[in-house]
Amino acid sequence: MNIVRLGPNFICGEDRRIDFRIHERLAGPASTRIWVVGQFEGTHGATDFSLCEKLCSLASIRMGFLNHLFYPWGYLLQGLAIVHFIRRRPDTYWIYIILFLGPIGAVVYLCAEALPDAGLLRGAFKVFPRRKRIGQLEAAIRDNPSAGNYEELGDLYMDDGRLALARAAFDNAVRARGDSLDAFYRRGVCALLLGDAAEALPDLERVVGKEANYDFYRAGGLLAHAYAQTGRKDRAETLFRQVTARSVASETYLNFADLLASEGRTAEAREWARKVLDKKPTMPGYLRRRERPWFRSASKLLKRLPA
């Protein structure tokens, strides 16, 4: 049989009998229809609208059957995929896969993007052991207020997001033993994250003065950021350039870009923000997932600065 066209109508090109059977199973919570067999005849140039209707609906019938297999869990899978997409912001095309492919698209997304992100949630799974250890250290410090106990307690408070308590714990660690660079460094980081850049300066200067490459040059980058926050912009720029010559940390690049933007040097600020995004194509997948917050910050900065 010579078929001329398959469009709005199904047209036969020769005057002969068409014997067409459609085997389909209509599925869904409210559907009780079973196998359907259709026989149709056509003549030269004639159209069969029943056959056309069957053909056009076949894809949606099959998708309905797949949705029935996932019902009602398909909606839950799509919801989880959308929530993860909003929070993690992977490539934009994933939202179309989730929405238009339904549960199948959600499963593909969760396997490709959400499962690899599970490694980033290790800290969240450790919240209860961490808080248990915090309680043990708080009790132990009453009997043994050693610098080591205070430093460990400060680290746990930082991991738990309680920066003020962490800063106080590092204060006690420094008083108990004043030769621990890590206690000074972490106390300075806490002060900077709490918005107290002036108090962070002495600690960070002490650390960078003794070890310029401390914490893979992050200490130097944070010291430059503290200089910028306290109005010492010339010194901040000099230190930023020294650190960025040896480090490719996105945090340092963006802090330097913020400094340049505050001075009205838009072109240079955009250049440093663009350097953060330029690292993305060559990064392994696990690093790209870790760097997503910095990628978003760089994109926001580029949108805010005029080209």
Side-chain angles (χ1 to χ4, degrees), residues 251-273:
E251 179 184 29
T252 305
Y253 281 12
L254 286 175
N255 286 337
F256 190 21
D258 284 333
L259 170 64
L260 296 170
S262 69
E263 295 181 329
R265 297 156 67 180
T266 304
E268 290 181 81
R270 289 182 60 86
E271 178 184 352
W272 283 99

Side-chain angles (χ1 to χ4, degrees), residues 76-99 105-106 108-115 117 280 289 292-293 296:
L76 178 61
L77 289 172
Q78 281 186 285
L80 289 173
I82 291 171
V83 169
H84 183 273
F85 177 87
I86 293 172
R87 297 191 65 176
R88 298 296 301 165
R89 299 293 179 87
D91 295 322
T92 307
Y93 64 80
W94 280 114
I95 192 63
Y96 299 106
I97 292 176
I98 296 168
L99 294 177
V108 172
Y109 172 82
L110 291 172
C111 291
E113 290 289 333
L115 285 181
D117 278 353
K280 186 176 180 180
R289 284 186 284 273
R292 275 176 187 163
R296 289 198 293 268

Side-chain angles (χ1 to χ4, degrees), residues 7 33 44 72 83 90 105 117 134 144 162 175 185 193 214 223 233 236 240 299 304:
R33 289 176 288 180
H44 180 73
V83 169
D117 278 353
I134 286 173
N144 181 23
R162 294 186 273 180
R175 280 195 292 267
Y185 172 63
L193 293 176
Y214 197 86
L223 177 58
K233 296 188 176 182
F240 268 130
S299 298
R304 180 164 54 89

Side-chain angles (χ1 to χ4, degrees), residues 135-173:
Q136 292 172 346
L137 285 171
E138 289 173 340
I141 281 172
R142 298 189 187 99
D143 299 324
N144 181 23
S146 65
N149 283 340
Y150 277 120
E151 283 191 45
E152 184 181 356
L153 183 60
D155 288 337
L156 292 171
Y157 278 143
M158 283 189 75
D159 292 340
D160 210 36
R162 294 186 273 180
L163 296 177
L165 290 175
R167 184 180 179 183
F170 290 124
D171 276 336
N172 291 324

Side-chain angles (χ1 to χ4, degrees), residues 183-212:
F184 283 103
Y185 172 63
R186 293 186 179 279
R187 185 175 69 172
V189 172
C190 289
L192 191 59
L193 293 176
L194 289 169
D196 194 355
E199 289 295 322
L201 277 176
D203 289 335
L204 295 175
E205 285 176 334
R206 182 187 186 102
V207 173
V208 175
K210 290 191 175 182
E211 289 189 33

